[in-house]
Amino acid sequence: MQFELTEEQLQMKMSVREFAEAEILPHVMEWDEAQHFPIELIPKLGELGLLGILFPEEYGGAGLGYVEYATAIEELSRVDGSVGISVAAHNSLCSNHIYQFGSEAQKQKYLAPLTRGEHLGAWGLTEPGAGSDASGTRTTAVRKDGGWAINGSKNFITHAIHADTCVAFASSDRAKQSKGITAFIFEKGMKGFSPSKKENKLGLRASETASVVFEDCFVPDENRLGDEGKGFVDAMAILDGGRISIAALAVGIAQGAYESAIRYSAERQQFGKPIREFQAIQFKLADMAVQIDAARLLMYRAAAMKDQGKKTTKESSMAKLYAGEMSVRVCEEAIQIHGGYGYTKDYPAEKYWRDSKLCTIGEGTSEIQRIIIAREILKAS
């Protein structure tokens, strides 16, 4: 088995790291405090190929795989999880849904500008009354001449305000429940389609999260994405890949927190020596390193399987579950190593901890991941 990145993958990893440290690191706390979504970064991310990593060159993408994708998300999140999750939502949710289930005309019209960084993507599944139970979608799609009238709302949507293209779901036949949900492509400026409340979040504050509202929004037939009634099934398939990116987000955040703890433990002196010389601190660092490596291996296993065209429902959920919960633990230990300073904004530990918590919630809570894993292992037994 191969446990090392290729030379090309390492070069990509280092180029993303250099970009993150040069373009993102100087602004991390400024953006966090102001809840500023750095829209000015989008063209630069596009130039670097990070907004079309997974997609063929014919659509303007980089033509790479999930291993490279996860590596890039980890490197961005090591510096700022807000940028990591934005790149993840753009790639593996909005753009990937169009790539996987869109018509050729839809790919040419919508996917190509997304992969080049000319447009920003959003993906709307969650509703005020349909979170873990995504099949409980209340947004409706009613047939009209030449299209559909959409009414309802979505919340906790990344890029809801700035997105140029949004994939969202509506019930086209409520009697069929999950088998009556259909996906549609919405464009910024469509009449009846508008952003709403922006969330004031605990962490990942530079990543834009808001609601979108549909008020008699007319969507033409050519904007239906995939087969009618297959939206929920397609969404679950998209989340298999999306959860790999959340695992990468979690690993990157934990890695950043771990590195900050390493640095601080070398600088901080107590009882006449650096605190890294005390066994209590050494044991914390050792446990942190082991957990990060274990999560990274689960992440890469799922990514490699995805690149091989294998089903990854169980493996994606395992990676997301373990990495998300690991990240919270590691970031909390980073605060503990910093002591009182870990509780202040003078050091990055507190921000890493705030950012990490989303990894146990977004794209399916830890509890939902356990349900999925149990279902998959029992199905195979």
Side-chain angles (χ1 to χ4, degrees), residues 110-241:
Y110 297 107
L111 182 59
L114 288 166
T115 62
R116 293 193 296 262
E118 297 166 4
H119 287 177
L120 186 63
W123 193 78
L125 179 63
T126 300
E127 295 184 1
S132 293
D133 179 17
S135 65
T137 294
R138 306 301 294 174
T139 298
T140 58
V142 177
R143 282 190 177 277
K144 298 288 184 182
D145 290 341
W148 304 77
I150 313 295
N151 282 280
S153 65
K154 301 289 177 180
N155 66 340
F156 301 136
I157 308 306
T158 303
H159 305 151
I161 297 171
H162 281 89
D164 302 282
T165 304
C166 178
V167 172
F169 303 81
S171 176
S172 51
D173 189 341
R174 187 162 288 170
K176 293 182 178 179
Q177 298 180 316
S178 65
K179 293 181 181 179
I181 294 173
T182 302
F184 299 91
I185 301 174
F186 298 85
E187 300 173 32
K188 189 173 189 176
M190 271 184 169
K191 186 178 179 181
F193 170 56
S194 60
S196 186
K197 176 192 173 188
K198 180 180 177 181
E199 302 296 341
N200 185 6
K201 300 179 295 181
L202 170 72
L204 300 173
R205 289 165 63 83
S207 174
E208 176 180 279
T209 305
S211 301
V212 293
V213 176
F214 310 99
E215 297 176 303
D216 288 325
C217 178
F218 178 78
V219 181
D221 277 328
E222 58 263 30
N223 280 45
R224 190 193 75 208
L225 181 55
D227 295 334
E228 184 178 344
K230 291 289 293 296
F232 181 77
V233 173
D234 293 347
M236 296 304 102
I238 291 299
L239 286 172
D240 281 351

Side-chain angles (χ1 to χ4, degrees), residues 21 26 46 56 62 124 135 216 264 280 332 357 373-374:
E21 292 182 347
S135 65
D216 288 325
Y264 184 81
E332 185 172 349
K357 188 56 190 169
I373 294 164

